[in-house]
Amino acid sequence: MAEDLTRHVSSAVFGNKHRLELLLALFAAGEGGVCVKDLADSRGAPTSVFRPPLAALMAAGLVRRLPTLGHNRRVLYAFTDVRAWTGLRRLVHDLDSRISAHRAGGGTES
């Protein structure tokens, strides 16, 4: 499965096999935020697997819950405005590029 390599790398780098998927979704969503249920559904995983890494990012003040608009029941999360994200964004992008290259047959060479 395509997620297996991403989850393996995530576990090795971040200590949680779903954190990289969460970070990629947060970066892709930008200020609009990401709905954890939508992320879980798109990954074929239960929502609960994303809760611990999300809670850790929120406790560190790195991610915030966005205000709910109207009667919308979807809960969205986005990065806070923290300079640390510049370096992390680069790391996450590089890991994703490496995983994509490996899937395309590029192996794990540097």
Side-chain angles (χ1 to χ4, degrees):
M1 177 175 264
E3 285 82 18
D4 289 346
L5 182 57
T6 300
R7 292 175 181 168
H8 174 75
V9 170
S10 182
S11 181
V13 174
F14 297 114
N16 178 287
K17 69 181 184 176
H18 297 285
R19 192 171 311 236
L20 181 56
E21 289 172 288
L22 177 60
L23 291 168
L24 286 165
L26 285 163
F27 284 128
E31 292 181 14
V34 65
C35 174
V36 175
K37 182 178 180 341
D38 293 346
L39 172 62
D41 289 349
S42 73
R43 299 292 190 257
T47 304
S48 61
V49 301
F50 294 102
R51 296 282 178 213
L54 179 63
L57 292 169
M58 289 180 70
L62 301 171
V63 169
R64 63 187 169 89
R65 181 179 172 160
L66 297 177
T68 305
L69 301 174
H71 295 287
N72 189 353
R73 293 181 50 183
R74 293 176 70 225
V75 178
L76 300 174
Y77 298 89
F79 288 124
T80 57
D81 188 21
V82 177
R83 287 187 155 282
W85 289 123
T86 302
L88 184 59
R89 183 183 312 263
R90 176 70 188 258
L91 172 63
V92 167
H93 173 75
D94 289 351
L95 289 171
D96 189 44
S97 294
R98 187 173 183 102
I99 291 165
S100 295
H102 182 77
R103 286 186 186 135
T108 58
E109 307 273 327
S110 307

